[in-house]
Amino acid sequence: ARPHPVGSEANLVVRDYLVQRAREVGVSVDTQRGGEGAENVIIRLPGSASTGVVLVTAHYDAAPGAPGAGDAGVAVASLLESIRALAEGPPLRNDVMFLFSDGEEAGWLGSNAFVDSPESEQVAVVVAMESEPGNGPTTLQQTSPGDGWLIRQLVAADPPAWVSSVSNSAERDDF
């Protein structure tokens, strides 16, 4: 509804909203401090026989002067709905961790704090959601080496995701 850059009173309202929504769904929620007032919100859904953590992340801060609906409010809303839907169903095999990072617009403050934490060492797969003002198809912009299996899953999805990656082109030749 209004600009909420990292460290602002308006951003604290957004953080509190994320924590409140998690508690309403009945999942545990933690916060994690980063630099320059950044505060991550972390929610973990335990798996039934976890072999690693699937991290799903989006940032909740906004650029100064912007309300943040397009960047990345749409992604944050997607994470909140995913948490609600997954919490209502049976546990997935692997743990799913949701990271609402703070301070992305100020230099990835929350993301850096998470990467430097022991929790990051448990992560096997990362899905980073980002959005920009405007509209268009769901896109995958970048993956890391060895993720050809993920591309195959996305190509088979209905509706399919728009997949374009500047890395791993040799792995993509089969698709």
Side-chain angles (χ1 to χ4, degrees), residues 117-155:
S117 74
E119 286 184 298
S120 71
E121 295 174 17
Q122 304 166 15
V123 174
V125 175
V126 177
V127 178
M129 305 287 286
E130 180 63 274
S131 54
E132 296 180 13
N135 58 22
T138 300
T139 61
L140 172 70
Q141 295 183 358
Q142 189 172 5
T143 63
S144 55
D147 289 344
W149 64 271
L150 177 61
I151 302 305
R152 283 188 287 281
Q153 296 296 314
L154 291 171
V155 168

Side-chain angles (χ1 to χ4, degrees), residues 65-152:
D71 182 16
V74 170
V76 168
S78 295
L79 266 64
L80 286 173
E81 176 58 13
S82 297
I83 292 166
R84 185 204 59 76
L86 291 174
E88 288 181 0
L92 299 175
R93 176 181 175 196
N94 289 309
D95 294 358
V96 181
M97 183 183 301
F98 293 88
L99 169 64
F100 296 89
S101 65
D102 191 12
E104 188 269 349
E105 299 292 356
W108 308 288
L109 303 172
S111 296
N112 288 332
F114 181 81
V115 167
D116 291 341
S117 74
E119 286 184 298
S120 71
E121 295 174 17
Q122 304 166 15
V123 174
V125 175
V126 177
V127 178
M129 305 287 286
E130 180 63 274
S131 54
E132 296 180 13
N135 58 22
T138 300
T139 61
L140 172 70
Q141 295 183 358
Q142 189 172 5
T143 63
S144 55
D147 289 344
W149 64 271
L150 177 61
I151 302 305
R152 283 188 287 281

